[in-house]
Amino acid sequence: MAPLRTLAALFLGASAVSGFAPAATPFAARNAVASRAETELNVFNDAMKDWAEEYPQFAEFGWGPSVQAEKWNGRHAMFGWVVICATAYAKGHGLIPNADVPLDLKEWGTLATISGKNTITNERAIILIANVHAFSVGLLATLCPLPFSDPLLLDPTDDKPAPEPYGVIPAFVPGVTEEAEMYNGRLAMLGLITLIGASAIEGKPMLDIVNEWVGGLYY
């Protein structure tokens, strides 16, 4: 079906590639997965070590390839999906005024231009400002966390060691846990990559792709 065309292609492609993989016993397969995961974790640990040696002024705050960076990206990806779904709902129910009307170049100037004298629509402008606002809130929460929130940056004066990487496949701990947040963040990031790829392949707006994935639920 059209709504699932891109996802079906991805799954079929993955299954086709796996069909050429050599058969392995369950024990050997488990050992292979464990060995591959350990190797990839070692690569990540080496990257963190190299980064800390080359850029200690950034590494001491948790910038770079670190658990804090992955958590920060995952949270923004999850919030991005909330914004995308909310925008699709608003578009489907006429909550964005004059959604398809381009901004007035004389009123907004080059801030609203795409190329030449073409300007973005009201819908895109509202989405852009909402995303800039969300990004600013997330950045401020990172730099100046509230007392009840967990800081995403490391405190160089704190003796507590930095959190260890969760690995390729974190331990499955249900509930409101850091492991669950890591799973959700990674799935949200992969989902955004899939959405961008589907939009580029099919030549459709991302909101239309999301609406197709949910069977036309939004509009």
Side-chain angles (χ1 to χ4, degrees):
M1 295 176 60
L4 301 178
R5 179 170 52 193
T6 304
L7 291 179
L10 292 175
F11 281 118
L12 288 175
S15 61
V17 172
S18 64
F20 293 94
T25 61
F27 180 77
R30 286 196 299 268
N31 285 343
V33 172
S35 177
R36 184 166 58 251
E38 183 178 357
T39 300
E40 293 180 359
L41 182 58
N42 289 335
V43 171
F44 185 77
N45 288 336
D46 292 340
M48 291 179 62
K49 183 179 178 181
D50 293 341
W51 173 268
E53 292 178 352
E54 295 181 13
Y55 306 99
Q57 67 274 22
F58 295 114
E60 65 177 355
F61 293 103
W63 291 101
S66 64
V67 175
Q68 284 76 17
E70 183 177 11
K71 186 181 294 185
W72 193 78
N73 291 331
R75 289 181 180 180
H76 277 82
M78 289 186 286
F79 189 79
W81 275 110
V82 173
V83 173
I84 289 173
C85 294
T87 304
Y89 179 86
K91 179 178 180 179
H93 292 76
L95 301 180
I96 300 178
N98 301 322
D100 297 327
V101 177
L103 297 180
D104 188 355
L105 181 61
K106 294 182 179 179
E107 182 178 353
W108 291 92
T110 56
L111 181 65
T113 58
I114 302 176
S115 61
K117 295 184 178 181
N118 296 324
T119 59
I120 60 177
T121 62
N122 283 337
E123 179 183 79
R124 289 194 174 186
I126 292 174
I127 295 173
L128 176 62
I129 294 302
N131 280 275
V132 169
H133 175 74
F135 180 80
S136 300
V137 171
L139 186 61
L140 291 176
T142 301
L143 299 176
C144 306
L146 296 174
F148 58 83
S149 62
D150 59 324
L152 295 182
L153 291 179
L154 297 178
D155 185 359
T157 61
D158 193 353
D159 296 332
K160 186 169 62 175
E164 294 292 329
Y166 288 89
V168 179
I169 303 178
F172 183 74
V173 182
V176 185
T177 62
E178 294 186 357
E179 290 80 5
E181 181 183 15
M182 195 61 61
Y183 269 112
N184 292 330
R186 290 180 179 181
L187 289 175
M189 289 186 283
L190 288 174
L192 288 179
I193 294 174
T194 304
L195 176 60
I196 294 172
S199 177
I201 292 173
E202 299 188 19
K204 297 179 180 179
M206 287 189 287
L207 291 182
D208 291 346
I209 296 293
V210 172
N211 186 55
E212 289 181 356
W213 284 354
V214 298
L217 182 63
Y218 290 118
Y219 54 86

